[in-house]
Amino acid sequence: MSSERRAGDSPAAGGRRSLLAWRVASALLLLAMGGIHLYLVISGTGGLLGALFVVNALGSLVLAVAMVGLHRRLLLTSVLSLLLMAGTLLALVIALTPAGLFGLRSSLSYQLAPTSLVVESVGVLVLAVTAVLVFRERAD
C-alpha cells in the first residue's frame, strides 16, 4: 500500500468527495422515503393520511434534488431534510402506539411499515452526518 499522493489529491478534495457521497446517500434515502409514501397512496391510502403522504413524497423529491443540485443552500437543505425524515419517523413511531397520532393508528403488519421504519431510521442517521459535514465544511 503506497502512501504517495497523486497529483491534485489533497485532504480537501477527499473531504469534498466524501461529502458528495453522503449527499447522494441522503438524496437516495429521501427518494426511498417519498417513494414508499407515494406507493402507499397509489395502492389505496386515502383521506387525510393519503394527502399527508403525497405532501411527504413531494417534499422528499424536492429536497433530494436540492441535496445533490444545490451548493449555496446546502446547510439549509440538509437541515430541512433531516427534519422531514425525523418528523416522518417520529409520526410513524407515534402512530404505532396504542394512542396513535391524531386518531390514526398503524401496526407493523401495515403495508411497508417495517420498511419505512428501517429507511427512515437509517435516513435520520445519514442526514445527521451529512448536516454535520456540511456545517464543518462551511465553518472552514
Side-chain angles (χ1 to χ4, degrees), residues 103-129:
L104 301 171
R105 284 186 295 189
S106 187
S107 75
L108 289 176
S109 62
Y110 187 73
Q111 189 177 20
L112 294 177
T115 305
S116 293
L117 277 174
V118 171
V119 167
E120 293 162 14
S121 296
V122 171
V124 166
L125 295 174
V126 169
L127 282 160
V129 170

Side-chain angles (χ1 to χ4, degrees), residues 6-17:
R6 292 181 291 170
D9 281 356
S10 69
R16 283 191 292 275
R17 281 193 302 269

Side-chain angles (χ1 to χ4, degrees), residues 19 21-31 33 60 63-64 66-68 74-88 119-135:
L19 178 56
W22 283 100
R23 289 170 60 188
V24 169
S26 296
L28 290 173
L29 287 160
L30 284 163
L31 290 174
M33 178 182 70
S60 297
L63 288 169
M67 186 63 68
V68 293
L74 190 54
L75 183 58
L76 177 63
T77 300
S78 60
V79 170
L80 289 176
S81 297
L82 176 59
L83 289 173
L84 177 65
M85 187 75 72
T88 303
V119 167
E120 293 162 14
S121 296
V122 171
V124 166
L125 295 174
V126 169
L127 282 160
V129 170
T130 303
V132 167
L133 290 174
V134 170
F135 180 76

Side-chain angles (χ1 to χ4, degrees), residues 8-61:
D9 281 356
S10 69
R16 283 191 292 275
R17 281 193 302 269
S18 175
L19 178 56
L20 179 61
W22 283 100
R23 289 170 60 188
V24 169
S26 296
L28 290 173
L29 287 160
L30 284 163
L31 290 174
M33 178 182 70
I36 289 168
H37 287 92
L38 187 59
Y39 174 82
L40 292 171
V41 170
I42 291 169
S43 67
T45 302
L48 174 62
L49 188 58
L52 292 173
F53 282 6
V54 169
V55 169
N56 182 284
L58 292 173
S60 297
L61 176 61

